[in-house]
């Protein structure tokens, strides 16, 4: 029996709300820890951007998910029959527009939390309020996305290749990574005052790169097959989406072997970058230094996502073909 829409979303929300708290509290907590367990008024803009980009990543795939749910018939959406989505609502519910608006609201939320008499209570309120606000936004977006899915005509291809799709995600993740570690420039362990080619700085940067990559990889196992299936139904991608499998020989190695190779490359790379910057007498800029040192991790993270999402897309294609075959038999 196909569940009623309202029963379905109540069941869905019981899973979505804890997930939102997990993701946003980890992102906030990482910045908070790097900022010496404190948040100041000067951090409002950075936190707003971090939370805004994180929200974008959370809601970007929500419409394809509902496209999959509606087409497959996982939920009864008769409630939205003959309820078109107005053009203004379609525009203002775009993930980019929503995220930009929420950045301003998050900036205001940080300012309000910092006005509380106790810094500890202000931090608690921020950690509790930021994910809840994101969840409220998602609940407001959900009916609009369902209506858009039901009333939308077949669109044009938005993503021409997996390389483009992964690159967008990697770029947004890198922005969050750089902003999250930016407070460490005030730490003695990451001081650039003694130059780039110092043992303490290079070891600290190596450990930081490993930690950031580990956090990114921890969320890399989230399934994309239903998202890809939804995008196929929306005609946003087609079967030419894949254009080869990069470095397949490395992919066939076991995970710990790949990570050992990456670790060796990362150690040599950080030493080379530090030596080159020291010889060039480059101006001290922690964020740029971190980004340069982190490049091998970005490259591996790109390959890791591509390999995994490649398999997920093939599974989505198989599901789509099975659905089409089943539909033909029923007709």
């Amino acid at each position: 029996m196909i569940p009623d829409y309202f029963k379905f979303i109540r069941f869905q929300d019981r899973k979505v709300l804890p997930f939102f708290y997990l993701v946003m509290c980890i992102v906030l907590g990482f910045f908070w820890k790097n900022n010496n367990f404190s948040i100041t008024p000067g951090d409002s803009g950075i936190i707003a951007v971090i939370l805004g980009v994180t929200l974008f990543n959370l809601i970007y795939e929500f419409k394809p998910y509902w496209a999959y749910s509606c087409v497959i018939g996982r939920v009864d959406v008769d409630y939205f029959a003959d309820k078109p989505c107005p053009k203004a609502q379609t525009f203002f519910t775009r993930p980019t527009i929503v995220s930009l608006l929420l950045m301003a609201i998050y900036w205001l939320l940080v300012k309000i939390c910092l006005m509380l008499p106790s810094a500890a209570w202000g931090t608690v309120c921020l950690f509790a309020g930021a994910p809840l606000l994101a969840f409220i936004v998602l609940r407001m977006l959900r009916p609009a996305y369902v209506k858009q899915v039901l009333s939308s005509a077949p669109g044009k291809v938005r993503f021409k290749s997996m390389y483009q799709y992964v690159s967008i995600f990697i770029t947004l993740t890198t922005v969050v990574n750089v902003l999250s570690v930016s407070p460490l420039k005030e730490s003695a362990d990451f001081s650039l005052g003694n130059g780039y080619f110092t043992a303490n700085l290079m070891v600290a940067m190596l450990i930081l790169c490993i930690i950031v990559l580990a956090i990114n990889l921890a969320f890399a196992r989230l399934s994309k097959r239903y998202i890809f299936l939804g995008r196929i139904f929306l005609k946003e991608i087609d079967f030419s989406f894949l254009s080869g499998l990069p470095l397949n020989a490395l992919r066939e190695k076991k995970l710990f072997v790949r990570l050992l190779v990456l670790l060796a490359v990362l150690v040599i790379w950080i030493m080379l970058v530090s030596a080159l910057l020291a010889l060039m007498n480059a101006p001290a800029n922690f964020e740029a230094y971190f980004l340069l040192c982190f490049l091998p991790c970005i490259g591996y993270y790109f390959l890791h996502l591509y390999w995994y999402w490649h398999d997920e897309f093939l599974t989505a294609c198989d599901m789509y073909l099975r659905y089409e075959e089943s539909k033909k038999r029923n007709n």
Side-chain angles (χ1 to χ4, degrees), residues 44-45 47-56 96-109:
S44 303
I47 293 176
V49 174
I50 290 173
L51 293 176
V53 174
T54 303
L55 175 69
F56 179 87
T96 304
I97 302 299
V98 172
S99 300
L100 291 174
L101 292 174
L102 260 293
M103 284 184 191
I105 298 175
Y106 276 131
W107 179 86
L108 183 61
L109 176 65

Side-chain angles (χ1 to χ4, degrees), residues 19 85 188 223 269:
F19 178 71
C85 188
S223 178
W269 176 258

Side-chain angles (χ1 to χ4, degrees), residues 199-212:
N200 289 340
L201 176 62
M202 289 188 289
V203 170
M205 187 57 66
L206 174 65
I207 295 173
L208 178 62
C209 289
I210 292 173
I211 292 173
V212 174

Side-chain angles (χ1 to χ4, degrees), residues 228-254:
F228 287 140
L229 183 57
R231 291 197 181 278
I232 292 174
F233 285 134
L234 290 172
K235 306 301 182 183
E236 294 180 350
I237 56 179
D238 54 28
F239 294 119
S240 63
F241 185 60
L242 293 180
S243 53
L245 197 61
L247 297 180
N248 191 41
L250 180 61
R251 176 180 181 254
E252 293 176 351
K253 304 293 183 183
K254 293 184 178 180

Side-chain angles (χ1 to χ4, degrees), residues 18-34:
F19 178 71
F20 271 37
Y21 267 94
L22 175 66
V23 172
M24 288 206 152
C25 285
I26 288 177
V27 171
L28 268 176
F30 193 57
F31 177 86
W32 178 62
K33 185 267 178 189
N34 291 337

Side-chain angles (χ1 to χ4, degrees), residues 194-198 271-282 289:
N194 296 324
Y196 291 98
F197 199 72
T198 60
M271 293 177 64
L272 288 175
V273 167
S274 301
L276 182 60
L277 292 176
L279 290 174
M280 294 173 57
N281 196 24
Y289 177 57

Side-chain angles (χ1 to χ4, degrees), residues 104-265:
I105 298 175
Y106 276 131
W107 179 86
L108 183 61
L109 176 65
V110 176
K111 292 290 186 183
I112 293 174
C113 290
L114 293 176
M115 291 172 61
L116 296 176
S118 169
W121 277 111
T123 303
V124 170
C125 289
L126 179 60
F127 273 75
L132 182 60
L133 179 58
F135 176 72
I136 292 172
V137 169
L138 181 137
R139 285 191 62 101
M140 295 171 62
L141 292 175
R142 181 162 46 204
Y145 286 163
V146 174
K147 288 187 286 186
Q148 289 172 32
V149 167
L150 295 176
S151 61
S152 62
K156 60 180 181 180
V157 174
R158 292 182 57 191
F159 303 100
K160 296 182 179 179
S161 70
M162 180 71 82
Y163 287 102
Q164 178 193 10
Y165 188 82
V166 178
S167 296
I168 294 173
F169 183 82
I170 292 290
T171 300
L172 294 174
T173 303
T174 302
V175 170
V176 173
N177 289 338
V178 172
L179 293 178
S180 297
V181 304
S182 60
L184 290 174
K185 60 188 172 187
E186 306 296 336
S187 172
D189 293 332
F190 294 92
S191 174
L192 299 178
N194 296 324
Y196 291 98
F197 199 72
T198 60
N200 289 340
L201 176 62
M202 289 188 289
V203 170
M205 187 57 66
L206 174 65
I207 295 173
L208 178 62
C209 289
I210 292 173
I211 292 173
V212 174
L213 178 63
I215 294 174
N216 290 338
L217 291 178
F219 289 98
R221 295 301 299 176
L222 297 175
S223 178
K224 285 277 186 177
R225 64 186 62 178
Y226 303 114
I227 304 300
F228 287 140
L229 183 57
R231 291 197 181 278
I232 292 174
F233 285 134
L234 290 172
K235 306 301 182 183
E236 294 180 350
I237 56 179
D238 54 28
F239 294 119
S240 63
F241 185 60
L242 293 180
S243 53
L245 197 61
L247 297 180
N248 191 41
L250 180 61
R251 176 180 181 254
E252 293 176 351
K253 304 293 183 183
K254 293 184 178 180
L255 178 61
F256 80 91
V257 174
R258 298 200 302 263
L259 293 179
L260 285 176
V261 172
L262 174 63
L263 179 61
V265 171

